[in-house]
Amino acid sequence: MHEFDAQNPEIRSAVNRRSFLGQTLSAGALTLTGCGKNGDEAGSETVVDATPKRGGSLKIGIAGGSPNDSLDPRTYTDTMIFNVAFAIMNQVVEIDENNDPQPSLFKSWEASEGATKWVFKVRSGVTFHNGKTLEPEDIVYSINLHRGPDTKSGAADGLKSLVGLKVTDKDEITMTLAEGDADFLYPLSDYHVLVVPKDFKDWSKPVGTGAFTFESFNPGVSATAKRYPDYWNSHRGFVDDVTFTCINDTAARMNAIMSGKVDIIHRVDTATVDLLKRVRNVQLVMARGGYHAIYAARCDTAPFSDPNLRKALKYAIDREQLLRFLFNGYGAIGNDNPIPVSDPYFNKDLEATVYDPDKAKFYFGKANVDVPLVLSASDAAFNGAVDAALLFQSNAKAAGVKFDVKKEPADSFWKDVWLKVPFCESYWAGRPAATQMFTTAYRSDAVWNDTGFKDPKFDQLLADAKKEIDKDKRRPMIYELQRIVHTDGGAIIPAFKDWVDAIGKRVKGYKPHHMFDLCNGRAAEKVWIAA
C-alpha cells in the first residue's frame, strides 16, 4: 500500500471548489503536453506513437526506494521495488487504463453463478528466464506465497476468501472462494502477486517470465534489467535495457528529467510544475487516481470511538485549503470516502462535508472530550504531512476543536505509529475496485484497517456486494457502503491527488493510468525510444 510521496507542497492561489466537486471523468486519462490544474488542457500532443521501435536504453528516475527493500513480492510497500519487480515478473491478471481486468499469464477465466468458483486457463508458450516452461503448478505456488496464517503479504486480505486452489488440467487452475466475489480478478491483480517458478526462494536474483531479466539490484540505490528475447508478449519489452535510479529527493528528481539524465520521472512536484512546462524536451502525463491523504481516527479507541468527535473533526478541516497546500490544486477535494471519482461505482450522491466551524464546535461540545487529543504526524505519510497537520490544527482551533500535533520520526512511522496510535496521518494509493478498497482497509477483520472501523452490517453488505454479478444490483450496495464510511467512519479524507509524471520527448508509447503512476508500474515494458 504505502509509497512515500515526495511532493513539495506550498499554499497557492484559490481554486474554485465547484470545479472539483462537479467534475466528472471519461474512461480515458489525460495524455497532454503541459496540463493545467484539474486537467485543464494547455496542449494536445500525445505521447503515444503507433509504430513501436526496438532498441535503446531507458532510464527511470524513481522515488520510493529504501535500503530495506527486497524483491520478495510479499514485502513490497513502495513504488520503486514493485516497478523493478514488474519488469522481471508477470501478474496473472492486469488492470488496464480503463480499470478493466485483462489477461496476462491467465489467458481466460470463467466464474460460476454467485462467483464462488473460478476456472482459469493458463497461457501456453511462456518460459521463465531460466528456460523452464510455465506450468499451472508455478502459479499455484506463487499465489500460495501470499496465503496462510503466517503471511505478512499486503495481498493477504484480498485472498482471504480463497479456500480452494488446485490444478484441474494441464492448462487449468480452479479456485474456490468461501464467499462469492465478482471482483476477485482485482485481488489477483494486486502488485504483490507475481509469478515465479515452483519452489523458488532466491529473491536476491529473481527469475520471472517478464520482459526483462534481472541484472543487478542495490536496495534504495538502483536496479538494472536486460531485455528477454523470448518474452511471450510481442507487444511489450521494446528497449534493450532499463535502469531504475532511486531519487527520493523531489528537487533532484525534477532536475534529472530537465537535464536529460533520466527519461522518465513520477511524483512531479506540483508546486513547481510550471518550470517543467517551459522545458522543450519534457512532457507532462497526468491522470486522475485513487491516491488520497487521510487522517485516521480509530473508531475502536476512546475518545475517537464517539461519533460526535469524528463528526467535529470532519467539519473542522478546510479541504480546499488542504488541496491547494498539498497538491497545488492538482487533484480533487475529498469527502471522507476512499472511492475516487474515476471509479465506475463512485457515489456521486453523497452530500459534501465542508468546513463549518459552527457544526464542528457543536459536535465537539456533544463529544465532551476530557482528555488531550494528539494527531501523530510524519512526512513518512506524505511529504509535507507535518505542515499539513499544523494547518489542520489551525483550521480546527478556529472552530473550537483543539488537538496537539506530535511529529513522529519518518524511519519508524509505519512500524511503530501507523495502526498503533488512535489518531494519525496516513495515505492510500487506492485500489482498482471499490470492494477491494473496502476489503483491504474497512472490513472489521482487515489487517490494514487503520481507522479501526468495525460494523457487522457493513461487513455483510460488502460480502453481498462482492458476490453480486449483476452490476445494476451491485451499484446501490456499493453506494451504501460509501455512505456508511462517509457518515460513520473515522477516515477524514481531505483530498485526492492526480498522478503527474514527466517524460522526455524521445519516450513513446506512454499511457497514463488511473491506478498508479508510471503506467501502473509497467512503464519499463510498455514504452519505446524514438530514433
Side-chain angles (χ1 to χ4, degrees):
M1 175 191 74
H2 289 288
E3 54 181 286
F4 299 152
D5 180 13
Q7 297 294 330
N8 180 20
E10 61 183 75
I11 299 177
R12 293 296 187 185
S13 58
V15 183
N16 184 283
R17 185 169 187 273
R18 284 185 298 172
S19 69
F20 294 117
L21 293 180
Q23 186 171 18
T24 57
L25 290 178
S26 62
L30 297 172
T31 57
L32 304 175
T33 301
C35 296
K37 299 174 186 177
N38 310 305
D40 297 332
E41 183 173 345
S44 60
E45 182 179 345
T46 180
V47 296
V48 179
D49 189 307
T51 309
K53 299 176 177 61
R54 295 199 179 274
S57 297
L58 179 68
K59 297 179 175 61
I60 300 177
I62 191 166
S66 166
N68 297 320
D69 284 343
S70 163
L71 282 164
D72 180 343
R74 292 167 290 191
T75 67
Y76 302 164
T77 58
D78 217 327
T79 306
M80 179 174 178
I81 191 64
F82 84 75
N83 274 260
V84 173
F86 274 17
I88 300 164
M89 296 174 274
N90 286 129
Q91 298 169 288
V92 289
V93 178
E94 285 188 29
I95 305 301
D96 69 10
E97 296 85 4
N98 298 318
N99 208 43
D100 293 325
Q102 298 295 336
S104 184
L105 295 184
F106 283 154
K107 67 178 181 180
S108 65
W109 47 79
E110 184 177 354
S112 64
E113 187 68 28
T116 57
K117 180 180 178 182
W118 290 77
V119 179
F120 298 90
K121 293 295 185 181
V122 177
R123 188 177 297 278
S124 60
V126 177
T127 58
F128 287 98
H129 301 152
N130 61 4
K132 180 188 182 304
T133 299
L134 173 71
E135 297 175 298
E137 289 81 4
D138 301 311
I139 294 177
V140 169
Y141 170 78
S142 298
I143 293 175
N144 278 337
L145 290 172
H146 308 277
R147 302 175 66 210
D150 298 327
T151 184
K152 294 183 177 3
S153 171
D157 274 329
L159 299 174
K160 190 172 290 184
S161 67
L162 179 59
V163 294
L165 172 61
K166 60 182 180 179
V167 176
T168 47
D169 205 342
K170 63 180 181 179
D171 65 343
E172 183 181 277
I173 292 173
T174 298
M175 302 189 196
T176 306
L177 309 183
E179 57 182 15
D181 188 354
D183 285 331
F184 185 60
L185 294 174
Y186 291 99
L188 287 178
S189 74
D190 188 292
Y191 61 82
H192 299 87
V193 183
L194 298 171
V195 177
V196 294
K198 184 177 181 294
D199 299 325
F200 184 83
K201 291 183 175 63
D202 184 6
W203 301 112
S204 65
K205 297 179 181 179
V207 172
T209 59
F212 300 91
T213 59
F214 173 85
E215 287 287 301
S216 68
F217 177 50
N218 187 353
V221 179
S222 65
T224 59
K226 186 176 181 180
R227 187 170 69 86
Y228 180 49
D230 296 324
Y231 186 39
W232 61 268
N233 191 342
S234 61
H235 301 291
R236 304 268 185 94
F238 300 106
V239 300
D240 290 334
D241 54 79
V242 57
T243 298
F244 299 89
T245 301
C246 182
I247 312 177
N248 285 327
D249 181 76
T250 302
R253 204 165 54 252
M254 297 280 280
N255 287 333
I257 189 70
M258 288 190 287
S259 66
K261 291 182 179 179
V262 298
D263 301 299
I264 300 172
I265 67 167
H266 64 145
R267 301 184 191 175
V268 167
D269 177 13
T270 52
T272 58
V273 69
D274 290 342
L275 291 174
L276 276 184
K277 293 179 182 178
R278 296 197 291 267
V279 178
R280 180 174 299 178
N281 292 322
V282 175
Q283 293 176 278
L284 293 180
V285 185
M286 304 171 63
R288 289 290 194 199
Y291 181 110
H292 56 273
I294 175 175
Y295 297 91
R298 292 197 66 91
C299 304
D300 58 355
T301 306
F304 301 97
S305 52
D306 188 333
N308 290 303
L309 177 56
R310 301 198 297 270
K311 286 183 179 179
L313 290 166
K314 291 175 181 179
Y315 283 116
I317 189 167
D318 189 331
R319 298 158 195 268
E320 296 178 41
Q321 192 178 47
L322 260 292
L323 175 63
R324 295 194 301 270
F325 181 83
L326 287 174
F327 310 133
N328 193 22
Y330 287 85
I333 286 176
N335 194 27
D336 309 325
N337 171 21
I339 309 307
V341 67
S342 56
D343 191 287
Y345 289 102
F346 172 72
N347 186 346
K348 60 184 182 299
D349 299 329
L350 285 179
E351 181 179 355
T353 302
V354 300
Y355 182 49
D356 191 323
D358 291 335
K359 287 185 178 179
K361 187 178 298 184
F362 170 77
Y363 284 111
F364 191 64
K366 289 189 69 174
N368 194 25
V369 177
D370 58 1
V371 296
L373 302 181
V374 177
L375 171 62
S376 291
S378 173
D379 285 348
F382 45 86
N383 196 54
V386 174
D387 289 337
L390 295 172
L391 182 58
F392 182 12
Q393 180 190 44
S394 177
N395 294 160
K397 184 178 180 181
V401 179
K402 297 181 179 180
F403 58 81
D404 294 325
V405 173
K406 181 182 179 183
K407 185 177 179 180
E408 304 281 4
D411 57 359
S412 59
F413 180 79
W414 299 118
K415 179 176 179 289
D416 297 332
V417 180
W418 183 64
L419 297 178
K420 293 180 173 62
V421 302
F423 191 32
C424 80
E425 292 179 306
S426 181
Y427 88 93
W428 285 89
R431 290 295 185 271
T435 56
Q436 188 185 7
M437 184 74 239
F438 288 133
T439 298
T440 304
Y442 293 89
R443 194 170 66 179
S444 296
D445 62 349
V447 174
W448 284 352
N449 186 344
D450 54 6
T451 61
F453 183 67
K454 295 178 174 62
D455 182 343
K457 292 182 179 179
F458 176 91
D459 295 344
Q460 184 59 56
L461 182 59
L462 176 58
D464 292 342
K466 289 173 70 173
K467 66 186 179 184
E468 180 55 66
I469 296 178
D470 188 312
K471 292 183 179 180
D472 291 334
K473 293 180 180 179
R474 298 180 78 216
R475 187 175 305 280
M477 297 180 184
I478 298 177
Y479 269 40
E480 177 63 9
L481 291 169
Q482 293 172 72
R483 188 201 65 77
I484 293 171
V485 168
H486 161 81
T487 304
D488 302 329
I492 303 166
I493 301 172
F496 284 79
K497 183 187 73 170
D498 291 342
W499 299 117
V500 186
D501 301 348
I503 66 173
K505 285 288 184 70
R506 73 185 195 128
V507 175
K508 302 298 178 182
Y510 200 101
K511 290 184 179 180
H513 203 291
H514 291 307
M515 187 61 233
F516 278 117
D517 45 16
L518 297 170
C519 302
N520 197 27
R522 293 204 172 273
E525 69 171 286
K526 287 185 174 182
V527 306
W528 58 91
I529 304 297

